[in-house]
Amino acid sequence: MTLVREPDRTADPANARSDTPADAPAHPGSDARTTDPYALALRDGGAVYVRRHGHRRQPLELARWCAEPDTADDTMLARCTGPTLDVGCGPGRLAAALSRRGVTALGVDPVPTAVARARTAGATALCRSVFEPLPGEGRWAVALLADGNIGIGGDPGGLLDRIHGLLAPGGLLVVETDPQDVYERFAARVEDDRGSHGGAFRWARVGTPALRRLAPTHHFTVTDTWTRPGRAFATLHRS
């Protein structure tokens, strides 16, 4: 999930500040105390938006996430040549596409409605956070962080450490980065057109330059970067 706005001066991870509450959940729709518009929109359709405090709301691309993979998605899928863990799989378009291509793939997502949609789409999916115990830890050939999911949990460094433990030695991490040169951590919430909103969740935005600076500290090396209109990507190898 990529949030787009003007470039931020905190594009260097060493200088970034966080405005994330410690008790905010790590993902939209994962707080059982709220009826989150994100989960409702996945189930029933409709427009939803994400808002940070003090900023204009931005639409979430649910229609794209629920559709078949597009040509930009195909550039990620082409790099998933071994057993792949799709982290934050949402409604499962990528995990399902990999399965149709004969690639072993498991989607994980903490939102039950998203996992139900992923399974309906033909994906093998597990309702679980990436930070909980997962099958095949240390043996996955590829991990996939699409749609800005490098921001999961609002702590990109901690997420890279977790992915490092999930991948086999020499494994590949395929990341969709923010198309702008940015590094920031924050809390946000999802809203709909009726004025309903969910609880705050932790997220981050990481552009490709910031990921290059961050990766070596967490035992990854950026080996390739590429762009498509409005989107940016990178591959990282596990040390």
Side-chain angles (χ1 to χ4, degrees):
M1 179 176 62
T2 301
L3 311 182
V4 179
R5 66 179 186 90
E6 65 274 9
D8 191 276
R9 290 190 297 270
T10 59
D12 187 342
N15 298 325
R17 292 179 296 178
S18 172
D19 60 2
T20 306
D23 60 349
H27 198 283
S30 61
D31 186 350
R33 298 170 298 175
T34 66
T35 303
D36 199 288
Y38 173 73
L40 293 177
L42 282 171
R43 187 187 68 191
D44 302 328
V48 285
Y49 311 86
V50 65
R51 186 190 297 275
R52 293 173 55 185
H53 179 70
H55 299 289
R56 291 180 298 176
R57 69 184 190 180
Q58 299 286 341
L60 292 180
E61 297 183 89
L62 281 188
R64 180 172 67 81
W65 300 341
C66 293
E68 290 297 307
D70 58 23
T71 56
D73 293 331
D74 284 337
T75 66
M76 292 186 290
L77 295 173
R79 291 162 167 84
C80 299
T81 56
T84 298
L85 185 67
D86 183 3
V87 177
C89 67
R93 76 185 189 284
L94 301 179
L98 287 172
S99 294
R100 290 194 296 270
R101 298 179 183 198
V103 177
T104 299
L106 174 66
V108 295
D109 199 288
V111 181
T113 309
V115 172
R117 285 206 59 147
R119 291 171 177 168
T120 299
T124 301
L126 183 65
C127 189
R128 197 170 298 176
S129 165
V130 65
F131 297 106
E132 296 180 284
L134 294 173
E137 295 202 12
R139 299 195 300 273
W140 291 98
V142 183
L144 181 59
L145 289 169
D147 304 319
N149 280 341
I150 184 65
I152 287 173
D155 180 8
L159 181 59
L160 287 176
D161 289 339
R162 175 59 176 144
I163 298 294
H164 188 277
L166 293 168
L167 287 172
L172 184 70
L173 173 58
V174 181
V175 180
E176 182 168 356
T177 59
D178 196 284
Q180 300 184 46
D181 182 4
V182 63
Y183 183 96
E184 54 185 3
R185 301 164 58 191
F186 51 88
R189 70 184 191 185
V190 174
E191 303 177 349
D192 63 21
D193 285 328
R194 299 183 298 273
S196 299
H197 63 81
F201 62 91
R202 302 189 300 274
W203 205 260
R205 295 174 64 208
V206 184
T208 299
L211 186 61
R212 283 189 181 278
R213 293 188 288 269
L214 189 66
T217 306
H218 300 278
H219 309 290
F220 280 97
T221 302
V222 175
T223 55
D224 190 20
T225 63
W226 68 101
T227 61
R228 291 296 182 270
R231 299 174 71 182
F233 309 91
T235 55
L236 296 78
H237 273 93
R238 179 192 187 277
S239 299

